[in-house]
């Protein structure tokens, strides 16, 4: 039933897209670069809730209809933590994204691979009596509902096969050559060649770099399937990917300095400052990445802007500041205390800014980022260095 719902939904969404009229927007500024940035979408409240999925064609059209937009960026999570990880669903998103008339740059989120082990996403639960995984199964077939039983490594491989079939190519239409770590990896670390999703591109003096840093149960302490101890496979995955991310970040900043770029934009899925209702130790495994971003940004001495999703609620701030406040994340009282936690010691990096893109709720929303190389705006709610941005909720 669930499979047929998304099959019908995908067909309906694609059919609806062809009927959407193009809407003319303001003319593009020839001296500027404009990007549409979003994430944590489309989300569903249950495994069969496809309302945001069905709204996605109109959402894509809102981006396509803005002549100023040069590139679209998705910072990860193509479904919610209450939806299953199936090959059919991932394929349906890949089909929808073919409708973009601009290049689409995407970095994977936790919900499409590393959280697939969770029972709420159709994975399973460790059974202490048998020492085996009790998978969530389809009542009709008795088979696990998730692809590969929710195995995170297998689901990341699926994501790569669908969204990164060829290193150096983006999704959507248009030509945007990107550098991929799969081709430009450090030969001293051959396992880095698997990170086809880590990319770099440069436009108008700004270097853009994506890092596979998903939120949720990836770099923190959540153990796959709730087993008593972390498996060798999970420990190796986190260690190899974190190392690859750090080396890709080194490469990005070295290239930005060598090419005389005037700014850097980093995209990740994880909100590395959001404790998500847990203890500060939840963030400890992100510290090497936070420390690297801080040190590289300081040495670069020019504006560095970070985009992430994960915590869903729009925010514009500098968490690498000794005065960064604790922010209540929800009515339940979940709090993010970046520089007051033991996970991330106090930093003071004035040429850094972070934006959390709004996601997971109606109306679907994207953020219009404009880069003007000659500008130098003070850090504020909607501007920083050469960057300005405005939220674009779908009508």
């Amino acid at each position: 039933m669930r499979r047929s719902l998304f099959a019908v939904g995908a067909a309906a969404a694609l059919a609806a897209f062809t009927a959407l009229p193009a809407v003319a927007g303001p003319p593009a500024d020839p001296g500027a670069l404009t990007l549409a940035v979003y994430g944590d979408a489309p989300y569903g409240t249950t495994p069969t809730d496809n309302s945001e999925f069905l709204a996605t064609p109109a959402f894509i059209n809102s981006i396509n209809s803005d002549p100023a937009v040069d590139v679209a960026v998705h910072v990860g999570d193509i479904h919610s933590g209450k939806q299953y990880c199936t090959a059919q669903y991932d394929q349906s998103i890949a089909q929808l994204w073919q409708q973009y008339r601009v290049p689409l740059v995407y970095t994977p989120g936790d919900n499409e691979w590393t959280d697939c082990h969770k029972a709420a996403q159709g994975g399973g639960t460790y059974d202490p009596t048998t020492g085996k995984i009790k998978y969530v199964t389809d009542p009709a077939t008795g088979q696990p509902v998730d692809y590969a039983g929710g195995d995170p490594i297998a689901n990341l491989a699926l994501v790569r096969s669908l969204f990164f079939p060829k290193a150096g190519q983006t999704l959507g239409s248009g030509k945007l050559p990107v550098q991929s770590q799969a081709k430009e990896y450090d030969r001293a670390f051959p396992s880095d060649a698997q990170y086809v999703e880590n990319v770099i591109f440069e436009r108008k003096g700004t270097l853009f770099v994506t890092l596979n840093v998903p939120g949720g149960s990836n770099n923190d302490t959540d153990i796959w399937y709730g087993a008593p101890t972390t498996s060798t496979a999970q420990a190796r995955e986190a260690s190899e990917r974190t190392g690859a991310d750090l080396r890709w970040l080194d490469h990005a900043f070295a290239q930005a300095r060598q090419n005389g770029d005037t700014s850097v934009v980093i995209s990740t899925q994880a909100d590395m400052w959001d404790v998500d209702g847990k203890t500060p130790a939840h963030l400890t495994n992100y510290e090497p990445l936070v420390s690297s971003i801080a040190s590289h940004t300081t040495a670069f001495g020019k504006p560095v802007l970070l985009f992430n999703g994960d915590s869903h609620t729009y925010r514009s701030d500098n968490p690498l500041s000794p005065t960064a406040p604790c922010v209540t994340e929800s009515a339940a009282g979940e709090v993010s205390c970046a520089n007051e936690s033991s996970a991330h010691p106090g930093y003071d990096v004035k040429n850094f800014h972070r934006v959390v893109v709004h996601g997971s709720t109606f109306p679907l929303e994207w953020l219009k980022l404009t880069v003007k190389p000659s500008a130098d705006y003070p850090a504020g709610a909607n501007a920083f260095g050469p960057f300005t941005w405005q939220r674009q909720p779908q009508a």
Side-chain angles (χ1 to χ4, degrees):
M1 184 68 174
R2 173 181 53 80
R3 293 186 179 89
S4 62
L5 174 63
F6 271 104
V8 171
L14 288 169
F17 187 91
T18 61
L20 291 172
V23 179
D29 180 347
L33 174 69
T34 301
L35 299 91
V37 188
Y38 76 109
D40 301 294
Y43 263 40
T45 58
T46 69
T48 57
D49 176 13
N50 63 356
S51 54
E52 284 198 16
F53 179 89
L54 293 175
T56 298
F59 174 79
I60 293 174
N61 192 63
S62 71
I63 294 173
N64 284 341
S65 299
D66 190 328
V69 174
D70 300 287
V71 180
V73 176
H74 191 296
V75 297
D77 271 11
I78 59 175
H79 63 75
S80 79
K82 297 179 180 179
Q83 293 176 285
Y84 297 157
C85 298
T86 69
Q88 186 177 32
Y89 180 86
D90 289 359
Q91 290 164 354
S92 71
I93 294 296
Q95 282 185 294
L96 280 181
W97 284 359
Q98 290 175 8
Q99 305 303 320
Y100 274 105
R101 297 182 198 142
V102 294
L104 173 65
V105 177
Y106 157 69
T107 186
D110 51 294
N111 287 344
E112 52 262 45
W113 73 278
T114 192
D115 279 358
C116 290
H117 69 95
K118 294 182 177 180
Q121 292 193 210
T125 306
Y126 176 82
D127 186 336
T129 302
T130 63
K132 298 181 179 180
I133 307 302
K134 184 177 181 180
Y135 296 102
V136 178
T137 58
D138 185 330
T141 65
Q143 297 300 308
V145 297
D146 270 5
Y147 178 79
D151 174 63
I153 294 174
N155 276 271
L156 178 56
L158 173 64
V159 166
R160 285 170 171 160
S161 70
L162 292 172
F163 299 102
F164 306 93
K166 188 172 182 180
Q169 290 188 355
T170 53
L171 301 164
S173 300
K175 301 295 183 182
L176 176 65
V178 296
Q179 302 165 238
S180 171
Q181 192 169 17
K183 288 186 173 182
E184 299 187 18
Y185 64 93
D186 185 335
R187 278 8 185 213
F189 301 92
S191 65
D192 288 5
Q194 65 189 301
Y195 298 98
V196 65
E197 64 272 19
N198 284 353
V199 304
I200 288 171
F201 64 96
E202 291 175 276
R203 294 287 295 275
K204 294 187 182 294
T206 296
L207 182 142
F208 297 82
V209 55
T210 68
L211 300 172
N212 185 347
V213 187
S217 63
N218 192 277
N219 278 48
D220 55 34
T221 56
D222 292 355
I223 299 175
W224 292 350
Y225 298 105
T229 58
T230 301
S231 67
T232 301
Q234 181 179 1
R236 181 173 60 250
E237 189 288 316
S239 175
E240 287 184 351
R241 184 179 38 73
T242 300
D245 284 337
L246 290 170
R247 287 184 284 275
W248 193 236
L249 201 59
D250 292 344
H251 179 74
F253 275 93
Q255 181 169 314
R257 289 192 296 271
Q258 179 179 344
N259 292 351
D261 289 320
T262 56
S263 58
V264 169
V265 175
I266 304 169
S267 295
T268 71
Q269 212 287 313
D271 185 340
M272 296 180 283
W273 293 271
D274 178 23
V275 295
D276 195 24
K278 301 180 181 180
T279 67
H282 183 76
L283 302 176
T284 299
N285 291 336
Y286 290 125
E287 175 55 24
L289 292 157
V290 172
S291 177
S292 179
I293 290 171
S295 61
H296 276 302
T297 301
T298 299
F300 185 58
K302 302 171 186 177
V304 174
L305 181 63
L306 169 69
F307 283 104
N308 68 259
D310 189 27
S311 52
H312 302 168
T313 304
Y314 173 81
R315 188 180 312 138
S316 170
D317 65 2
N318 180 3
L320 296 181
S321 166
T323 60
C326 294
V327 179
T328 299
E329 296 294 339
S330 74
E334 298 170 359
V335 173
S336 172
C337 299
N339 290 290
E340 296 182 21
S341 75
S342 58
H344 301 322
Y347 290 98
D348 188 7
V349 185
K350 293 180 174 60
N351 57 316
F352 180 80
H353 200 83
R354 184 274 297 265
V355 175
V356 181
V357 297
H358 195 77
S360 81
T361 57
F362 275 126
L364 293 169
E365 178 177 307
W366 56 282
L367 186 142
K368 186 172 183 177
L369 173 70
T370 301
V371 186
K372 292 187 177 182
S374 61
D376 186 16
Y377 302 105
N382 297 96
F384 168 66
F387 309 107
T388 57
W389 55 90
Q390 293 291 333
R391 298 170 66 179
Q392 305 287 319
Q394 182 183 347

